[in-house]
Amino acid sequence: GSDLDAATQQLLNRGVRLTELLKQGQYVPMAVEEQVAIIFAGVRGHLDKFDPAKITAFERGFLAHIRSSQQEILKDIREKGMIDDAAEAKLKDIVTNFLAGFE
Protein backbone atom coordinates (compact mmCIF):
# COMPACT_ATOMS: atom_id res chain seq x y z
CA GLY A 1 0.00 0.00 0.00
CA SER A 2 0.88 3.61 -0.16
CA ASP A 3 0.69 6.36 2.43
CA LEU A 4 -0.09 8.89 -0.28
CA ASP A 5 -3.61 10.26 -0.50
CA ALA A 6 -5.60 9.66 -3.68
CA ALA A 7 -5.05 13.18 -5.06
CA THR A 8 -1.28 12.93 -4.64
CA GLN A 9 -1.21 9.47 -6.20
CA GLN A 10 -3.25 10.74 -9.17
CA LEU A 11 -0.87 13.65 -9.65
CA LEU A 12 2.15 11.32 -9.64
CA ASN A 13 0.43 8.98 -12.11
CA ARG A 14 -0.32 11.91 -14.43
CA GLY A 15 3.32 12.96 -14.14
CA VAL A 16 4.46 9.57 -15.43
CA ARG A 17 2.23 9.99 -18.49
CA LEU A 18 3.33 13.58 -19.11
CA THR A 19 6.97 12.48 -18.94
CA GLU A 20 6.26 9.97 -21.71
CA LEU A 21 4.46 12.63 -23.76
CA LEU A 22 7.38 15.03 -23.50
CA LYS A 23 9.93 12.57 -24.86
CA GLN A 24 10.82 13.49 -28.43
CA GLY A 25 12.99 11.68 -30.87
CA GLN A 26 16.26 13.34 -31.76
CA TYR A 27 15.98 14.94 -35.22
CA VAL A 28 12.18 14.63 -35.14
CA PRO A 29 11.13 18.24 -34.64
CA MET A 30 7.51 18.93 -33.78
CA ALA A 31 5.72 22.22 -34.35
CA VAL A 32 4.81 24.14 -31.20
CA GLU A 33 1.09 23.95 -31.96
CA GLU A 34 1.35 20.15 -32.24
CA GLN A 35 3.17 19.99 -28.92
CA VAL A 36 0.47 22.17 -27.36
CA ALA A 37 -2.31 19.86 -28.61
CA ILE A 38 -0.55 16.75 -27.29
CA ILE A 39 0.35 18.25 -23.93
CA PHE A 40 -3.24 19.51 -23.59
CA ALA A 41 -4.44 15.89 -23.71
CA GLY A 42 -2.09 15.01 -20.86
CA VAL A 43 -2.52 17.96 -18.53
CA ARG A 44 -6.30 17.88 -18.85
CA GLY A 45 -6.34 14.29 -17.61
CA HIS A 46 -7.47 12.60 -20.82
CA LEU A 47 -4.62 10.11 -20.55
CA ASP A 48 -4.80 9.41 -16.81
CA LYS A 49 -6.19 5.90 -17.26
CA PHE A 50 -3.76 5.03 -20.05
CA ASP A 51 -1.02 2.48 -19.61
CA PRO A 52 2.17 4.59 -19.77
CA ALA A 53 3.55 2.09 -22.28
CA LYS A 54 0.81 3.14 -24.73
CA ILE A 55 1.49 6.88 -24.52
CA THR A 56 3.94 6.86 -27.45
CA ALA A 57 1.41 5.03 -29.64
CA PHE A 58 -1.26 7.55 -28.61
CA GLU A 59 1.06 10.43 -29.45
CA ARG A 60 1.91 9.01 -32.89
CA GLY A 61 -1.73 8.31 -33.73
CA PHE A 62 -3.02 11.60 -32.37
CA LEU A 63 -0.37 13.57 -34.27
CA ALA A 64 -1.30 11.82 -37.51
CA HIS A 65 -4.97 12.54 -36.80
CA ILE A 66 -4.59 16.26 -36.09
CA ARG A 67 -2.16 16.72 -38.98
CA SER A 68 -4.55 15.08 -41.44
CA SER A 69 -7.95 16.33 -40.29
CA GLN A 70 -7.56 19.10 -37.70
CA GLN A 71 -5.37 21.71 -39.43
CA GLU A 72 -7.81 24.45 -38.44
CA ILE A 73 -7.20 24.03 -34.69
CA LEU A 74 -3.44 23.86 -35.26
CA LYS A 75 -3.59 27.07 -37.31
CA ASP A 76 -5.68 28.71 -34.58
CA ILE A 77 -3.17 27.81 -31.85
CA ARG A 78 -0.21 28.85 -34.04
CA GLU A 79 -1.70 32.24 -34.96
CA LYS A 80 -3.09 33.17 -31.54
CA GLY A 81 -0.19 31.75 -29.55
CA MET A 82 -2.63 30.48 -26.94
CA ILE A 83 -5.64 28.28 -26.33
CA ASP A 84 -8.70 30.47 -25.91
CA ASP A 85 -12.03 29.11 -24.61
CA ALA A 86 -13.27 28.16 -28.07
CA ALA A 87 -10.02 26.35 -28.93
CA GLU A 88 -10.09 24.57 -25.57
CA ALA A 89 -13.61 23.27 -26.20
CA LYS A 90 -12.63 22.17 -29.71
CA LEU A 91 -9.44 20.45 -28.51
CA LYS A 92 -11.37 18.64 -25.80
CA ASP A 93 -13.79 17.31 -28.44
CA ILE A 94 -10.95 16.32 -30.75
CA VAL A 95 -9.10 14.43 -27.98
CA THR A 96 -12.26 12.76 -26.64
CA ASN A 97 -13.38 11.64 -30.11
CA PHE A 98 -9.91 10.38 -30.98
CA LEU A 99 -9.62 8.41 -27.75
CA ALA A 100 -13.05 6.83 -28.28
CA GLY A 101 -11.69 5.07 -31.38
CA PHE A 102 -8.13 4.53 -30.15
CA GLU A 103 -6.53 1.22 -29.00
Side-chain angles (χ1 to χ4, degrees):
S2 173
D3 293 340
L4 298 174
D5 63 36
T8 302
Q9 191 65 46
Q10 182 181 10
L11 203 55
L12 289 172
N13 287 338
R14 185 172 292 170
V16 168
R17 284 146 185 86
L18 290 175
T19 300
E20 289 302 311
L21 273 183
L22 292 172
K23 291 178 182 176
Q24 285 189 29
Q26 190 176 10
Y27 313 118
V28 186
M30 189 185 305
V32 171
E33 61 271 19
E34 294 171 348
Q35 293 177 49
V36 167
I38 288 170
I39 293 168
F40 174 90
V43 298
R44 289 297 195 263
H46 295 287
L47 306 177
D48 285 0
K49 293 183 173 38
F50 253 64
D51 177 344
K54 293 183 178 177
I55 296 293
T56 303
F58 159 80
E59 186 173 351
R60 236 186 342 262
F62 187 66
L63 258 180
H65 173 68
I66 60 174
R67 285 173 176 164
S68 68
S69 65
Q70 302 296 335
Q71 282 295 319
E72 195 58 41
I73 190 73
L74 294 176
K75 179 176 179 266
D76 190 49
I77 293 168
R78 183 174 54 248
E79 290 177 355
K80 291 180 180 171
M82 60 176 276
I83 298 176
D84 59 19
D85 290 344
E88 181 169 352
K90 177 99 172 112
L91 261 178
K92 182 180 177 194
D93 284 346
I94 292 167
V95 172
T96 303
N97 291 332
F98 178 80
L99 287 174
F102 183 75
E103 295 253 5

